[in-house]
Every structure is written in structure tokens, then in C-alpha cells.
Amino acid sequence: MNTTFTYAHGSLQLYRWPLNQPNSSLQAWDAADELLLQHTQEAATQFSRQHKREPKLLIINDSFGALSCALAQYAQVQVNDSLLAQQGTVYNRRQNGLDLTTLQQQSSLAPYPQAPDIVLLKLPNNHSYLQYILQQLAGVVTTDSIILASAKAKDINRNVLALFEQTLGPASASLAVKKCRLISCSYNGAVQQQAKSSFPLRWPLEQSSYSVVNHANVFSREKLDQGARFFLQHLPTLSAEQTVIDLGCGNGVLGLPLLSKDTAITMLFCDESYMAVESARQTISENLPDKLAQCRFVVDDCLSQQADKSADYVLCNPPFHQQHAVTGHIASQMFSDAKRVLKQGGHLRIVANRHLGYADSLQRLFGNCRQLAADPKFVILEAIKRS
């Protein structure tokens, strides 16, 4: 799906990623991108005049490449926690005939580049990930670095500004433009001592002797979420040699009790978030190090990289948001990929909010679906690949 993105130097045809999204009204950018671009162009022009060279950009949390594409003339490092964001950026640059040699991409866990001239940050939805980003920036920016961030006006409050000031230095927010605001921040080396990273977090898994590892951008960062808690009560009984996929694995909490049993299963932990996959790897490594040989940890777009008819079970707690948008396309792709990857007779077992109507989706796709359990908020559903 595409839409035209207009900025100071012309127009771009941008696609929201992945391309199989059914809702063509979803844009690949928002007003916060536009506001950030306007001020970045002004800052880059002023920087070039002053320093007689073009600035080096550090772009963080650019979901579909709108910032990267609009600023393609500048050398840039793009940092994302999302594989889909990386794929969307490359796709959009290619679709618009933009040079890829100016783009360097890296995951959220890689060290940030030293001394960026201009930092562009789209504020993430959760403050833990924002705190992590600011802590990483504190170790690489200089007093000459220009730091700009944007988000919806309702998401920029005193607490957010205080986080910038405590971690980096003085920060101020603009007036609202199209319901969005811009944060301008200057680095003050005096606060660097406070910027030591506090991530990943570790917390005890209830009713067990295990602890769970959570990096900053992983869902349910400090306790077990309700859906996972219910799912843990209804995990399948497995036999030796079966291959199990934890799709959208998060911190790996579903695979942990399965691996703790004596059965010689093979577990694949799969997520599109780099921090999620690393959290799962560390969760297993720190609790069941002798089981690591039975595991694979893969950053993937659902199960795009996995072979057909290769798994006996797929377990899934599917999300129904992409940033601020409520959407069912992620679950739909998860279910379709699961059917392709399952062997004949293989099972897809999910936990879901009751109101989402996934039973009908699974019935249409698999030709069968049964409800295994339910509570006032969640259901456990299972479908079998029969043909």
C-alpha cells in the first residue's frame, strides 16, 4: 500500500511495511515525522554553512523509513529494534530510487556511533525504551550534537522532558503543530554519571524458581502479562523429538517451562524485535544453560525465514497493535505462516483476548478450531493442520 509523502525537496512514494496489510488508509509517516524533518532540514543547512561539510545523522526509531528517505542525501545511521522497520526502510528507498550507500542500519542492541552531528528520535511508546535510548546517547553525543525528538503532543509531558534533562541535558518542547511537538535537547557532560544503563531487567517468574530477562523494549517488562500467565496454565504436553516454535516469543517465558521438562524437544524462539529475541536467549541461558543446544533464536518477519512443514507445534500470543494503530494483520500473517510451517497434523495453539474473534479466523484458515480454555478476558484456541 502506498501514499505520497511530500517534503521540502519533492515527493516520495512510501509504503507501510509489511506490504500485505489490508488497511490502505494506514500511512507510512505522521505529523511528528513532518515536524522532525522540517527542523532537521533547517539544522542541517545551518550545520553545513558553519562547518563546511554535511552533517552525519543518527536516526532512531524510524518505523517505515520516512525520515531516512527524506534525508537520503546525508550519511546516516538508522537504529531500530524492529526488523520490519529495517526492511521497510530499504524497500522504500529502493522504490524511490534513493542511494543505499548513504544508509547504515543497526539493531537497537548495537553500540551507537560516536559523535553524531544531528540526532533524530521518534519517541517510542514506552518510557523504558526511551530511557534506554537516552542512556545510549549519553555515551556517544557531544556538546556540539544537535538532538531533536518528536511525538504526539499528548506523549510529551513533564516526565518525558525530565528524562531528557536527567540523562542528557537541557530540553525544551515546542508548541503543538498538527497535535505534535518537537523536543530540542543539548548534551551536558555533567549528567553523564547518571546515564549508566539499567537494562536488561530481571524479575522472578511466579510459582517457579526461574527469573525472566527483559530488555527495555520488550512487552510486559517487569511482570508476567495476563495473557502469558493464562497460557502457561495450558501449554501442550510434548513428546521427544518434536519441534516447537514460540512465535512472537518476547522474553521466552512460554518456552522456558517446556524446556525444563526432560523431553528432548527443539525450540525456536522467533520475534521481529531484536531486544525480544535477545531477552529470550538470555532467559534460557541464565535458567537452563544445558538446554541452549536444543534452541534457536531468530529475528524474523513472523516465520518468513522458516521452512515449510518443519514444526510440530506453534505457540503464539499475537499482538493486535502496530505502534498506535489497532490492526489484525499481524495476527493474520502469524496464523498463515504457522499453517505453512506446520507439518501435517501439527498444532497452532494461541492465547487471545476474547473480543478479537480469532476463532473464526482460524476456522476459515485451518478448517477447524477448538477452544481449550477460557476466563473472563482470554481464550486458548487450537487449530490442527489436516490438509
Side-chain angles (χ1 to χ4, degrees):
M1 65 193 51
N2 62 77
T3 186
T4 301
F5 176 55
T6 304
Y7 69 111
H9 294 290
S11 63
L12 298 170
Q13 197 76 7
L14 291 190
Y15 295 75
R16 190 176 175 105
W17 194 262
L19 294 175
N20 61 354
Q21 292 188 20
N23 186 352
S24 60
S25 67
L26 296 176
Q27 292 186 154
W29 82 96
D30 59 20
D33 288 307
E34 296 174 342
L35 184 61
L36 194 53
L37 279 174
Q38 175 189 341
H39 286 266
T40 301
Q41 292 284 9
E42 294 170 359
T45 299
Q46 184 177 352
F47 180 95
S48 298
R49 289 173 181 167
Q50 182 177 350
H51 297 275
K52 309 303 180 186
R53 66 174 178 86
E54 292 188 335
K56 298 176 295 182
L57 307 185
L58 174 56
I59 304 175
I60 305 172
N61 206 33
D62 182 15
S63 297
F64 303 106
L67 301 176
S68 176
C69 288
L71 299 166
Q73 71 268 36
Y74 301 111
Q76 58 187 249
V77 176
Q78 185 197 53
V79 176
N80 277 301
D81 187 48
S82 165
L83 173 68
L84 297 182
Q86 293 180 334
Q87 292 176 333
T89 297
V90 171
Y91 183 87
N92 279 323
R93 286 179 73 122
R94 285 175 174 162
Q95 287 296 112
N96 288 280
L98 298 173
D99 187 4
L100 284 172
T101 61
T102 60
L103 172 65
Q104 177 185 336
Q105 292 183 310
Q106 65 181 54
S107 83
S108 54
L109 293 167
Y112 287 11
Q114 290 290 325
D117 297 315
I118 303 177
V119 177
L120 295 79
L121 169 61
K122 282 291 294 298
L123 293 192
N125 291 339
N126 73 72
H127 284 190
S128 290
Y129 187 36
L130 174 59
Q131 182 181 355
Y132 173 86
I133 291 170
L134 297 181
Q135 288 170 346
Q136 303 314 300
L137 286 175
V140 300
V141 294
T142 71
T143 52
D144 294 326
S145 298
I146 300 167
I147 304 167
L148 303 172
S150 67
K152 293 183 180 297
K154 65 181 179 64
D155 295 327
I156 297 179
N157 51 42
R158 291 181 180 178
N159 290 337
V160 168
L161 290 175
L163 196 56
F164 274 83
E165 291 172 350
Q166 293 163 6
T167 313
L168 294 175
S172 61
S174 71
L175 298 175
V177 178
K178 295 183 179 179
K179 299 183 179 180
C180 294
R181 299 174 74 189
L182 181 91
I183 295 175
S184 299
C185 181
S186 300
Y187 175 65
N188 177 0
V191 302
Q192 188 170 3
Q193 294 293 87
Q194 304 175 31
K196 185 177 179 181
S197 179
S198 54
F199 300 99
L201 303 174
R202 288 168 175 81
W203 44 268
L205 178 60
E206 55 195 51
Q207 299 182 351
S208 81
S209 60
Y210 302 128
S211 61
V212 176
V213 180
N214 264 67
H215 280 275
N217 197 35
V218 179
F219 179 69
S220 194
R221 291 173 297 281
E222 299 178 13
K223 61 181 180 179
L224 194 63
D225 72 273
Q226 295 180 30
R229 179 181 290 108
F230 189 52
F231 208 169
L232 286 172
Q233 301 169 25
H234 301 283
L235 292 176
T237 301
L238 302 171
S239 58
E241 310 304 325
Q242 285 190 308
T243 297
V244 184
I245 298 177
D246 184 352
L247 174 56
C249 64
N251 54 33
V253 71
L254 296 181
L256 185 62
L258 295 176
L259 285 165
S260 69
K261 303 183 187 306
D262 292 333
T263 51
I265 62 171
T266 298
M267 282 288 312
L268 171 65
F269 294 89
C270 193
D271 204 293
E272 69 99 22
S273 160
Y274 289 94
M275 285 191 170
V277 172
E278 180 58 19
S279 296
R281 188 194 67 78
Q282 289 185 247
T283 293
I284 303 305
S285 177
E286 294 182 12
N287 291 280
L288 301 170
D290 57 322
K291 299 289 187 175
L292 277 175
Q294 297 172 220
C295 301
R296 286 196 300 135
F297 303 90
V298 180
V299 181
D300 198 354
D301 172 9
C302 290
L303 296 174
S304 299
Q305 301 175 37
Q306 310 313 312
D308 295 359
K309 301 179 181 179
S310 58
D312 299 285
Y313 256 99
V314 176
L315 308 177
C316 187
N317 182 357
F320 56 95
H321 290 85
Q322 188 176 40
Q323 287 105 47
H324 293 286
V326 177
T327 174
H329 83 271
I330 301 173
S332 178
Q333 184 181 346
M334 285 178 158
F335 300 160
S336 295
D337 280 10
K339 183 181 179 182
R340 175 182 59 79
V341 169
L342 282 170
K343 301 173 184 177
Q344 294 299 118
H347 296 69
L348 168 64
R349 185 174 295 194
I350 74 166
V351 62
N353 292 74
R354 296 176 67 104
H355 71 274
L356 293 174
Y358 287 155
D360 291 339
S361 300
L362 294 176
Q363 180 69 41
R364 288 192 297 269
L365 182 63
F366 285 84
N368 67 93
C369 177
R370 64 185 181 125
Q371 179 177 299
L372 303 181
D375 71 6
K377 188 172 183 181
F378 296 99
V379 292
I380 305 293
L381 304 174
E382 184 170 270
I384 302 173
K385 183 176 178 179
R386 291 176 175 158
S387 62

